[in-house]
Amino acid sequence: EAGVAQSPRYKIIEKRQSVAFWCNPISGHATLYWYQQILGQGPKLLIQFQNNGVVDDSQLPKDRFSAERLKGVDSTLKIQPAKLEDSAVYLCASSLGLAETYEQYFGPGTRLTVT
Amino acid sequence: GDSVTQMEGPVTLSEEAFLTINCTYTATGYPSLFWYVQYPGEGLQLLLKATKADDKGSNKGFEATYRKETTSFHLEKGSVQVSDSAVYFCARTDSWGKLQFGAGTQVVVTP
């Protein structure tokens, strides 16, 4: 079974530029998560989708971050404009559903460096 | 608010030593608890989990017991190997399955 796919794996941009990350979850997984992991810290949830609807985006900095999952499968996370403090690894995860006992499977992440 | 606190690293051990990584949590309810591991250059992987009080999760020689009375979920392994060198994250679920992670503990095992 294929795992969670993310691209690109690495991205370097200058501040004030925009960037987009793509995630393809495991087939059949209804729930998709985006996490931000700053160096030396644990991942922090940015947004959670159930199919194509948003369950929780309370931690997403909506003035610069946006995310969508239009067809309930792939998802895109965008940052516009980027700031230096956005340098982090962006992790996508998916699970079968919302129940807390469902395991979340993580992708390899996209490492973003903002200069 | 609710949180997860784990011991700071790095933890440096010799091969075959006993490993303990402390983790405590705060919660208004009864969350599920997890340990995730991140090996060098790899993504996060679930190591073990426990979904209710007194449950013991185990995998690859690692164990952790859900202690409601002490709100703890300490990770233990009796005899570590060099291949266990990684960063270990304790996590708890929030509502609707969202994970809240601790800061991570780096473990370095030397031959």
Side-chain angles (χ1 to χ4, degrees):
Chain A
E1 177 182 86
V4 177
Q6 290 187 247
S7 67
R9 292 295 308 278
Y10 305 91
K11 190 74 178 178
I12 301 174
I13 62 172
E14 295 181 352
K15 60 183 178 184
R16 291 188 289 275
Q17 286 187 324
S18 63
V19 64
F21 313 127
W22 173 82
C23 172
N24 181 235
I26 292 173
S27 177
H29 281 196
T31 311
L32 185 146
Y33 309 78
W34 283 103
Y35 292 86
Q36 179 193 57
Q37 186 177 13
I38 293 172
L39 186 65
Q41 299 180 20
K44 184 187 80 172
L45 180 74
L46 292 175
I47 189 167
Q48 177 188 21
F49 292 94
Q50 175 69 2
N51 296 312
N52 61 351
V54 175
V55 177
D56 186 345
D57 63 357
S58 58
Q59 300 300 307
L60 188 73
K62 298 180 188 64
D63 58 333
R64 297 184 301 104
F65 286 64
S66 65
E68 59 184 17
R69 193 185 185 200
L70 293 175
K71 296 182 179 179
V73 181
D74 293 4
S75 177
T76 303
L77 177 69
K78 297 180 181 177
I79 307 175
Q80 183 179 15
K83 292 185 175 181
L84 295 176
E85 59 260 36
D86 298 332
S87 293
V89 176
Y90 290 85
L91 298 168
C92 179
S94 70
S95 65
L96 281 170
L98 290 173
E100 63 179 41
T101 53
Y102 285 131
E103 179 178 347
Q104 290 185 31
Y105 294 83
F106 284 81
T110 297
R111 183 177 297 278
L112 173 68
T113 302
V114 182
T115 63
Chain B
D2 294 340
S3 65
V4 176
T5 304
Q6 59 183 107
M7 62 189 287
E8 289 189 21
V11 174
T12 303
L13 302 163
S14 297
E15 211 165 19
E16 299 183 1
F18 185 87
L19 170 68
T20 299
I21 305 176
N22 291 338
C23 172
T24 58
Y25 66 93
T26 62
T28 51
Y30 302 99
S32 293
L33 302 173
F34 303 81
W35 277 99
Y36 278 81
V37 59
Q38 193 168 37
Y39 297 104
E42 298 185 16
L44 272 172
Q45 303 174 26
L46 178 65
L47 181 59
L48 54 83
K49 71 177 183 181
T51 58
K52 62 183 187 296
D54 299 323
D55 266 3
K56 178 185 284 187
S58 61
N59 186 25
K60 299 183 180 179
F62 290 89
E63 293 183 340
T65 301
Y66 191 142
R67 302 284 188 201
K68 186 164 68 76
E69 63 276 11
T70 55
T71 60
S72 65
F73 193 55
H74 304 321
L75 182 68
E76 297 181 336
K77 186 172 185 181
S79 177
V80 293
Q81 305 299 312
V82 173
S83 57
D84 293 324
S85 297
V87 181
Y88 293 82
F89 293 92
C90 185
R92 47 150 283 172
T93 47
D94 207 325
S95 56
W96 300 116
K98 300 188 295 294
L99 285 170
Q100 187 174 35
F101 288 88
T105 302
Q106 183 180 12
V107 172
V108 178
V109 181
T110 58

